[in-house]
Amino acid sequence: MGSIFKETLGLYTDLYELTMAQGYFFCQKKDQNTSFDYCFRTNPYKGGYTVFAGLQDFIDALNEFTYSKSDLEFLKANGFKDEFLEYLRDFKFSGDIYSVKEGEIVFPNEPLLSVEGNIIECQLVESILLNILNFESLIATKAFRIKHISGQKLFADFGLRRAQDFGAIHASRAACIGGASSTSNTLAGKIYDIPVSGTMAHSWVQSFDSELEAFRAFAETNPDNTILLVDTYNTLKSGVPNAITIGHEMAARGEKLKAIRLDSGDLAYLSKKARKQLDDAGLHDVQILASNQLNEYVIKTLLLDQNAAIDGFGIGTEMITGKSDAALDGVYKLTEIDGEPKMKFSENIEKITLPGKKQMVRYFDEEGMFYRDGILLQDEKAEEVDTIYHRIYPEKNTEVSKLKVELLREKVVEQGNILLQHKSPVEIHEYLKSRAALLPDEHKRFISPHLYKVGISNKLMATRNALTQKLRTLH
Amino acid sequence: MGSIFKETLGLYTDLYELTMAQGYFFCQKKDQNTSFDYCFRTNPYKGGYTVFAGLQDFIDALNEFTYSKSDLEFLKANGFKDEFLEYLRDFKFSGDIYSVKEGEIVFPNEPLLSVEGNIIECQLVESILLNILNFESLIATKAFRIKHISGQKLFADFGLRRAQDFGAIHASRAACIGGASSTSNTLAGKIYDIPVSGTMAHSWVQSFDSELEAFRAFAETNPDNTILLVDTYNTLKSGVPNAITIGHEMAARGEKLKAIRLDSGDLAYLSKKARKQLDDAGLHDVQILASNQLNEYVIKTLLLDQNAAIDGFGIGTEMITGKSDAALDGVYKLTEIDGEPKMKFSENIEKITLPGKKQMVRYFDEEGMFYRDGILLQDEKAEEVDTIYHRIYPEKNTEVSKLKVELLREKVVEQGNILLQHKSPVEIHEYLKSRAALLPDEHKRFISPHLYKVGISNKLMATRNALTQKLRTLH
């Protein structure tokens, strides 16, 4: 799976990364060994968890993260110096990357992924890393919230037309990781091996002299997948009755009308009325699909409060853009240079980053459910950590010595070579499902979910506190 | 300007477009002449206008809207038939496109762009048209709202890391059309000839033993463009004083510190304090730039209510994603087949589309300002239309016979050949500026802006009413 772009991606970065890289180069810092952490600060949608996604796409993009002749000419025209451009000519990421698995359930302030390498390569990949991981995690989380509430009922990604431009391609992949059973985005289907789906728009119906004629022609050309859009003129007076006529005609030919689709009006009211019309006509097997401005909240009230007779959903704008959140607030912070821990200091203690190379562990309760996550220094042995502490208020802490513990991260890139095994979005969704089953339900509530607790080890806290003191003195 | 994609774009479409196209093909409808209109229903951000953008990118994408061998294999594997795939093998859009200019100020329910051609080509391009035009218009509108309020102060697009994935590329272009003076997105800068900008992140500062050393090294490697990020440790106690030291050192070398950048804390408070520190040190020319979660509302209160000492802005998430709106609600509706007007009927009269091939005109008041827009049938002479009517309530109408009138649309593609003259985002912004100057200020208010009125001609109304009657009878 290569990139979808013709262009090399080395310029798909904020200019300041290149400006700094050139600065490091001329300050004789280019061979410094550094480590950067990726983490986010807030779960999207005021939710209780986040689904980590985008890892495979980010790593694939690194393969294309090089500089073509025209890229270098562009940089030269923008004042970059020949000696540095010569360095970029051969640039290829050659560092290591550690990451949690794609599809993992994760939480704020966790070092989900770390990049280790020389300071230039670590700096240059920042923007594309954030661009891809922030977005796919946002969309996968949204899709899984929808999956969580729609249960066994399938939903398709219909978002292409309202997606944020070519973001649509990774968005459809992330939607599938989160639980969409198919996508309307045919190119995403081809690239990522996602099932594709889609039948008719209003224009099909309008293009015939009558709705009945339009339905009949569609059934004849698509006998195996006849889904009729019934709201072009009048859902209950025209659309459903015409669909019933076609359903009977198909039955007479030994074929089957698969479903009708509602795309406007009140979906609870119309679905129940349409169900009755179909049932009264003996078409009990014909499904009712619904689309139009759906999200997890609307689906929840349709299904749970109003018992809507809907068998599946098509979901557009809100899933593909992650509405009402525009972005996951992921950041990428320097944590170590040549063995020296580093951190971003802040008067706002919430924003102080955690210094040093780290690892992540997950603790399980007696029922085998997720209980706490721990952030340790890389050289600590997980089994020797007996207590983890709240990042800011250490008097809040948890004894973990008797709990089952699991390492959450693995090396996915080594000296620039990809170790990560390729998985399809559907396979990643299966992993997500298995993990989400271990997340207690109270973290999945849409409103005021229970806060999942993430602690740090004593050694990490001591490292941070010592560095805080040092920086306070210096600045 | 070719495509940025390796892939052909023929599959960058909702599957139902292909399903319908195959249906048209086998129903012997493939040579029917059709016309489709693009319009949106609501101005984004509860604003009073929308900036139309994305036209050039859409038209360029049409050039790549073809089917490769592997595309056809993918479709075959998904059940498409050989005879239709044979047709797609040679597919290339060969119709006509009429459009308002990119950068035009436009309003809801206007047929901004029409596609005319055979039913298959018009149908297949729907999704990519909506994907690009909806998004770039959303972002250009957002950026122009920011431009409107920031006036002569420049602002840069810093959004790449929080953009919705590869949507970032067109987003940066649209931001520049709307008024961003530069972008941090280096690839967008290269592709679209947009000025690029960017200096340092916190990691630069952290990578040195002290902030002062970091600033000094940066000034030495970037003497012509020294902008120092002053909030890594403590803005007023460390960052600004260190920047002042560097400013004096540079002055002694005959160089000049260009600016400092604030990226956290209260920007009004910090900018005024920092301004005083800089002024007291004699560094009156050093500018203060600000970033961190900015949007048009924050900038308005910073500049107008609080007199913040900020000379320029870097704007990220909210501009590049169009927050708080995730998408412009543009739609693409069939209006005519083989000379017969068509429309989407709806019990909700607001959603009834306007049938037939149309044109758009703009009327000017005595001061030469935008006054009304009119939608006429294509074969009407603008000068013969003396009254335009509210789409739904015809008792609301405007006499226009004495007003100066302008045709708003032009043919941009003819039989698949591009007529549109290529313009850079900066040139398009100049056009936007000239047009926005003619839009009365009351439509530019952020809160409850005045509604700009768009009317339809008597003939168009009669066509719609007759078709409504016919459809009511039939369904």
Side-chain angles (χ1 to χ4, degrees):
Chain A
M1 233 295 305
S3 156
I4 53 176
F5 283 96
K6 257 184 207 165
E7 302 269 342
T8 46
L9 289 177
L11 294 187
Y12 194 65
T13 189
D14 289 305
L15 185 73
Y16 78 177
E17 316 284 13
L18 287 154
T19 308
M20 288 189 282
Q22 177 169 265
Y24 297 138
F25 183 84
F26 286 111
C27 291
Q28 319 305 331
K29 290 167 75 74
K30 73 181 169 61
D31 296 321
Q32 287 186 337
N33 285 309
T34 56
S35 180
F36 283 76
D37 283 351
Y38 169 68
C39 65
F40 63 88
R41 292 182 179 135
T42 323
N43 285 318
Y45 321 117
K46 299 182 177 158
Y49 63 90
T50 295
V51 174
F52 177 67
L55 179 63
Q56 179 78 47
D57 282 325
F58 164 59
I59 288 177
D60 284 344
L62 279 186
N63 260 339
E64 319 277 327
F65 200 86
T66 58
Y67 296 88
S68 68
K69 191 155 171 284
S70 67
D71 293 339
L72 298 173
E73 285 163 3
F74 178 78
L75 292 176
K76 189 170 166 66
N78 277 275
F80 284 83
K81 301 203 174 72
D82 286 335
E83 201 180 337
F84 175 63
L85 295 177
E86 198 54 46
Y87 176 86
L88 283 190
R89 185 183 311 276
D90 301 322
F91 179 83
K92 192 170 177 328
F93 180 80
S94 65
D96 296 342
I97 299 178
Y98 298 84
S99 178
V100 300
K101 287 194 178 67
E102 196 159 4
E104 185 59 270
I105 298 279
V106 297
F107 305 96
N109 298 306
E110 296 186 330
L112 304 176
L113 179 147
S114 299
V115 180
E116 299 182 9
N118 70 57
I119 194 168
I120 289 182
E121 64 193 357
C122 289
Q123 190 74 65
L124 286 177
V125 304
E126 173 178 17
S127 309
I128 192 168
L129 178 155
L130 292 172
N131 177 258
I132 295 176
L133 298 183
N134 280 340
F135 182 59
E136 289 203 41
S137 298
L138 180 78
I139 303 306
T141 305
K142 184 73 172 182
F144 190 67
R145 289 163 61 85
I146 293 167
K147 179 72 189 166
H148 173 64
I149 210 64
S150 49
Q152 296 305 309
K153 295 182 195 280
L154 300 183
F155 64 95
D157 157 33
F158 277 10
L160 175 57
R161 64 192 50 205
R162 299 284 171 80
Q164 297 213 338
D165 218 290
F166 292 125
I169 294 174
H170 285 172
S172 292
R173 174 181 185 270
C176 183
I177 287 174
S181 58
S182 64
T183 180
S184 69
N185 182 339
T186 318
L187 184 57
K190 179 190 174 195
I191 294 173
Y192 292 111
D193 193 20
I194 306 170
V196 288
S197 63
T199 51
M200 69 164 70
H202 299 117
S203 52
W204 173 272
V205 180
Q206 291 170 268
S207 81
F208 289 81
D209 286 336
S210 76
E211 189 179 54
L212 184 63
E213 198 184 323
F215 285 0
R216 189 173 285 135
F218 193 84
E220 282 165 6
T221 50
N222 297 274
D224 299 331
N225 191 27
T226 306
I227 299 175
L228 301 172
L229 178 62
V230 293
D231 73 329
T232 304
Y233 301 113
N234 184 311
T235 300
L236 297 178
K237 289 187 190 152
S238 170
V240 180
N242 283 330
I244 287 170
T245 301
I246 300 304
H248 289 151
E249 290 178 5
M250 293 183 78
R253 293 197 295 270
E255 296 163 359
K256 230 177 93 178
L257 174 61
K258 191 164 170 184
I260 62 169
R261 178 160 71 94
L262 307 171
D263 188 43
S264 59
D266 188 85
L267 298 175
Y269 172 82
L270 290 175
S271 67
K272 285 187 268 193
K273 291 285 183 187
R275 182 74 271 157
K276 181 156 191 324
Q277 291 183 357
L278 290 166
D279 286 348
D280 288 350
L283 297 172
H284 303 279
D285 289 348
V286 175
Q287 291 201 321
I288 297 177
L289 309 180
S291 51
N292 193 22
Q293 306 290 342
L294 295 173
N295 60 31
E296 65 270 45
Y297 308 105
V298 176
I299 291 174
K300 183 178 175 194
T301 187
L302 283 173
L303 294 181
L304 303 188
D305 302 338
Q306 310 223 288
N307 204 22
I310 297 171
D311 302 293
F313 299 94
I315 304 184
T317 313
E318 302 222 4
M319 179 166 70
I320 214 69
T321 63
K323 194 176 179 184
S324 58
D325 279 353
L328 184 70
D329 64 356
V331 295
Y332 179 80
K333 291 293 174 189
L334 178 67
T335 60
E336 190 170 308
I337 296 191
D338 285 343
E340 285 286 312
K342 295 281 179 178
M343 62 193 265
K344 156 102 173 67
F345 189 67
S346 173
E347 287 305 306
N348 179 349
I349 195 167
E350 296 272 351
K351 286 195 169 181
I352 293 183
T353 60
L354 294 170
K357 289 185 185 176
K358 296 179 282 295
Q359 58 180 311
M360 271 182 66
V361 297
R362 180 156 290 168
Y363 299 102
F364 293 78
D365 69 11
E366 288 169 5
E367 281 83 42
M369 301 290 277
F370 296 172
Y371 182 62
R372 295 281 189 276
D373 283 4
I375 308 172
L376 324 179
L377 287 174
Q378 195 178 49
D379 55 11
E380 290 188 86
K381 284 203 163 60
E383 55 271 28
E384 289 173 8
V385 172
D386 52 16
T387 308
I388 56 169
Y389 300 85
H390 187 283
R391 207 163 49 95
I392 300 167
Y393 309 107
E395 60 277 18
K396 291 182 172 185
N397 54 63
T398 305
E399 213 207 293
V400 294
S401 56
K402 300 202 181 83
L403 300 177
K404 186 192 138 198
V405 62
E406 189 182 85
L407 298 179
L408 281 189
R409 309 197 323 174
E410 58 191 9
K411 193 185 269 195
V412 293
V413 173
E414 186 171 60
Q415 298 190 317
N417 299 310
I418 300 177
L419 305 179
L420 182 71
Q421 200 198 330
H422 184 268
K423 284 191 180 142
S424 73
V426 173
E427 288 170 319
I428 296 169
H429 176 67
E430 288 305 312
Y431 178 71
L432 164 58
K433 247 171 56 183
S434 73
R435 299 299 279 181
L438 303 179
L439 179 70
D441 268 349
E442 54 268 29
H443 301 292
K444 297 175 190 161
R445 265 200 314 271
F446 290 161
I447 298 176
S448 295
H450 188 43
L451 180 74
Y452 187 87
K453 296 182 182 60
V454 178
I456 63 177
S457 72
N458 198 20
K459 284 192 180 167
L460 175 53
M461 187 161 47
T463 302
R464 184 198 59 190
N465 293 349
L467 189 53
T468 303
Q469 280 312 317
K470 186 176 153 195
L471 292 172
R472 275 230 172 83
T473 314
L474 260 175
H475 298 96
Chain B
M1 233 293 306
S3 158
I4 52 177
F5 281 95
K6 262 184 204 165
E7 301 270 343
T8 45
L9 289 177
L11 294 187
Y12 193 65
T13 189
D14 289 305
L15 186 72
Y16 77 178
E17 317 283 13
L18 287 155
T19 308
M20 287 188 283
Q22 177 169 265
Y24 297 138
F25 183 84
F26 286 112
C27 291
Q28 318 307 331
K29 290 166 74 75
K30 74 181 168 60
D31 296 321
Q32 287 187 338
N33 285 309
T34 56
S35 180
F36 283 76
D37 283 351
Y38 169 68
C39 65
F40 62 89
R41 293 183 179 133
T42 322
N43 285 318
Y45 321 117
K46 299 183 179 158
Y49 63 90
T50 295
V51 174
F52 177 67
L55 179 64
Q56 179 79 48
D57 282 325
F58 163 59
I59 288 177
D60 284 344
L62 279 187
N63 260 340
E64 318 280 326
F65 200 86
T66 57
Y67 296 88
S68 68
K69 190 154 172 285
S70 68
D71 292 339
L72 298 173
E73 285 164 3
F74 177 78
L75 291 177
K76 190 171 165 66
N78 276 276
F80 284 83
K81 301 204 174 72
D82 286 334
E83 201 181 337
F84 175 63
L85 296 177
E86 197 54 45
Y87 175 87
L88 283 189
R89 185 183 311 276
D90 301 322
F91 179 84
K92 192 170 178 327
F93 180 79
S94 65
D96 297 342
I97 299 179
Y98 297 84
S99 177
V100 299
K101 286 194 177 69
E102 197 158 5
E104 186 59 88
I105 299 279
V106 297
F107 305 96
N109 298 306
E110 296 186 330
L112 304 175
L113 179 148
S114 299
V115 180
E116 299 182 7
N118 70 58
I119 194 167
I120 289 182
E121 64 193 357
C122 289
Q123 190 75 65
L124 286 177
V125 304
E126 173 178 17
S127 308
I128 192 169
L129 178 156
L130 291 172
N131 176 258
I132 295 175
L133 298 183
N134 280 340
F135 182 58
E136 289 203 42
S137 298
L138 180 79
I139 303 307
T141 305
K142 184 73 171 182
F144 190 67
R145 289 163 62 85
I146 293 167
K147 179 72 189 166
H148 173 64
I149 210 64
S150 50
Q152 295 305 310
K153 296 182 194 280
L154 300 184
F155 64 95
D157 157 34
F158 277 10
L160 175 57
R161 65 192 50 205
R162 299 283 171 80
Q164 297 214 336
D165 217 293
F166 291 124
I169 295 174
H170 285 173
S172 292
R173 174 181 185 271
C176 184
I177 287 174
S181 58
S182 64
T183 180
S184 69
N185 181 339
T186 318
L187 184 57
K190 178 190 174 197
I191 294 174
Y192 292 111
D193 193 20
I194 306 170
V196 289
S197 63
T199 51
M200 69 164 68
H202 299 117
S203 52
W204 174 272
V205 180
Q206 291 171 269
S207 81
F208 289 82
D209 286 336
S210 76
E211 190 180 53
L212 184 63
E213 199 183 322
F215 285 179
R216 188 173 286 134
F218 193 84
E220 282 165 6
T221 49
N222 297 273
D224 299 331
N225 190 28
T226 306
I227 299 175
L228 301 173
L229 179 62
V230 293
D231 73 329
T232 304
Y233 301 114
N234 184 311
T235 300
L236 297 177
K237 289 186 191 154
S238 171
V240 180
N242 283 330
I244 287 170
T245 301
I246 300 304
H248 289 151
E249 290 178 6
M250 292 183 79
R253 293 197 294 271
E255 297 163 357
K256 231 177 91 178
L257 174 61
K258 190 164 170 183
I260 62 169
R261 177 160 71 94
L262 307 171
D263 187 44
S264 59
D266 188 85
L267 298 175
Y269 172 82
L270 290 174
S271 66
K272 285 186 268 193
K273 292 284 183 188
R275 181 74 272 157
K276 183 157 190 325
Q277 291 184 357
L278 290 166
D279 286 348
D280 287 350
L283 297 172
H284 302 279
D285 289 348
V286 174
Q287 292 202 320
I288 298 178
L289 309 180
S291 51
N292 194 23
Q293 306 290 342
L294 294 173
N295 60 31
E296 66 270 46
Y297 308 104
V298 177
I299 291 174
K300 183 178 176 194
T301 187
L302 283 173
L303 294 182
L304 303 189
D305 302 338
Q306 311 223 288
N307 205 21
I310 297 172
D311 302 293
F313 299 94
I315 304 184
T317 313
E318 301 222 3
M319 180 166 70
I320 214 69
T321 64
K323 196 177 178 185
S324 59
D325 278 354
L328 183 70
D329 63 357
V331 295
Y332 179 80
K333 291 294 175 189
L334 177 66
T335 59
E336 189 170 309
I337 296 191
D338 286 343
E340 285 286 312
K342 295 281 180 178
M343 62 192 266
K344 157 101 172 68
F345 189 68
S346 173
E347 287 306 307
N348 180 349
I349 196 167
E350 296 271 351
K351 286 196 169 181
I352 293 183
T353 60
L354 294 170
K357 289 186 183 175
K358 295 179 282 295
Q359 58 180 313
M360 270 182 67
V361 297
R362 180 157 291 167
Y363 299 101
F364 293 79
D365 68 11
E366 287 169 6
E367 280 83 43
M369 301 290 276
F370 296 172
Y371 181 62
R372 294 281 188 276
D373 283 4
I375 308 172
L376 323 180
L377 287 174
Q378 195 179 48
D379 55 11
E380 290 189 86
K381 284 202 162 60
E383 56 271 27
E384 289 173 6
V385 172
D386 52 15
T387 308
I388 57 168
Y389 299 84
H390 188 284
R391 206 164 50 95
I392 299 167
Y393 309 107
E395 60 278 18
K396 292 183 172 183
N397 54 64
T398 305
E399 212 207 293
V400 294
S401 55
K402 300 204 181 81
L403 301 176
K404 187 192 137 196
V405 62
E406 190 182 84
L407 297 179
L408 281 188
R409 310 198 321 176
E410 57 192 9
K411 194 185 267 194
V412 293
V413 173
E414 185 171 61
Q415 297 190 316
N417 298 309
I418 300 177
L419 305 180
L420 182 71
Q421 199 197 330
H422 184 269
K423 285 192 180 140
S424 74
V426 173
E427 289 170 318
I428 296 170
H429 176 68
E430 288 305 312
Y431 178 71
L432 164 59
K433 247 171 56 183
S434 72
R435 298 298 280 180
L438 303 179
L439 179 70
D441 268 350
E442 54 267 29
H443 301 293
K444 296 174 189 160
R445 266 201 314 271
F446 290 161
I447 298 177
S448 296
H450 188 43
L451 180 74
Y452 187 87
K453 296 182 182 61
V454 178
I456 63 177
S457 71
N458 198 20
K459 284 191 181 169
L460 175 53
M461 187 161 48
T463 302
R464 184 198 60 191
N465 292 350
L467 189 53
T468 303
Q469 279 313 316
K470 186 177 154 195
L471 292 172
R472 275 230 172 84
T473 314
L474 260 175
H475 298 95

